């Protein structure tokens, strides 16, 4: 298996890149992810999160509260995909532009983590 095949196997899935995109900003509860992704079902969202958890991209934390609270966050391995998803986003915009289909795209707001936090220090 080529390394590219392995990478595509890990991130393939209709919603995985979108889930990671939303987790790059910090931990989120399932209900928040569902609100951000209204076109997916909760069952599919949970399935995609579990697959990413198995691949080490997402961490699930269960808080000992009543009712219990679960938050999902991107792991360091998951965060390492941010520049790759940025490149895919930019390529998708270029592709749509070439085919005069820019009106079909949402804005792509992925900024590399280093640039996003450089002004904080």
């Amino acid at each position: 298996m080529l390394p590219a095949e392995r990478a595509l196997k890990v991130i393939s899935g209709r919603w995985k890149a979108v889930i990671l995109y939303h987790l790059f900003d910090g931990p989120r509860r399932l209900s928040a992810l569902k609100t951000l992704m209204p076109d997916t079902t909760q069952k599919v969202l949970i399935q995609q999160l579990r697959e990413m958890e198995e691949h080490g991209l997402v961490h699930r934390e269960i808080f000992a509260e009543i009712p219990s609270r679960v938050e999902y966050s991107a792991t360091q391995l998951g965060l390492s995909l941010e520049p790759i998803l940025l490149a895919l986003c930019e390529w998708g915009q270029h592709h749509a532009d070439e085919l005069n289909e820019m009106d079909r795209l949402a804005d792509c707001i992925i900024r590399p983590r280093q640039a996003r936090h450089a002004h904080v220090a």
Side-chain angles (χ1 to χ4, degrees):
M1 174 185 293
L2 290 172
E5 287 177 275
R6 181 182 179 100
L8 289 172
K9 181 181 176 187
V10 170
I11 63 170
S12 68
R14 170 67 177 92
W15 301 104
K16 288 181 183 176
V18 180
I19 293 167
L20 278 174
Y21 172 85
H22 291 301
L23 294 180
F24 288 153
D25 288 329
R28 297 200 189 259
R29 295 176 76 170
L30 182 66
S31 58
L33 287 169
K34 181 67 182 100
T35 299
L36 292 166
M37 302 167 55
D39 293 336
T40 185
T41 65
Q42 185 164 322
K43 178 184 175 186
V44 169
L45 186 57
I46 290 169
Q47 178 185 10
Q48 300 273 280
L49 283 161
R50 285 190 180 146
E51 288 176 17
M52 289 193 298
E53 189 177 3
E54 288 174 21
H55 289 290
L57 304 179
V58 169
H59 172 73
R60 178 174 46 131
E61 185 168 359
I62 303 170
F63 293 86
E65 300 174 355
I66 299 175
S68 63
R69 176 170 54 107
V70 178
E71 284 187 347
Y72 295 90
S73 57
T75 63
Q76 283 303 115
L77 190 57
L79 291 171
S80 72
L81 283 166
E82 192 171 20
I84 295 161
L85 291 181
L86 172 62
L88 282 172
C89 190
E90 290 171 348
W91 187 88
Q93 288 174 324
H94 171 72
H95 182 260
D97 189 42
E98 288 290 317
L99 299 179
N100 288 329
E101 296 176 351
M102 286 296 284
D103 58 323
R104 296 184 187 182
L105 292 183
D107 286 337
C108 190
I109 310 170
I110 298 179
R111 292 173 297 287
R113 185 158 304 286
Q114 297 81 4
R116 193 179 325 153
H117 296 294
H119 67 280
V120 176

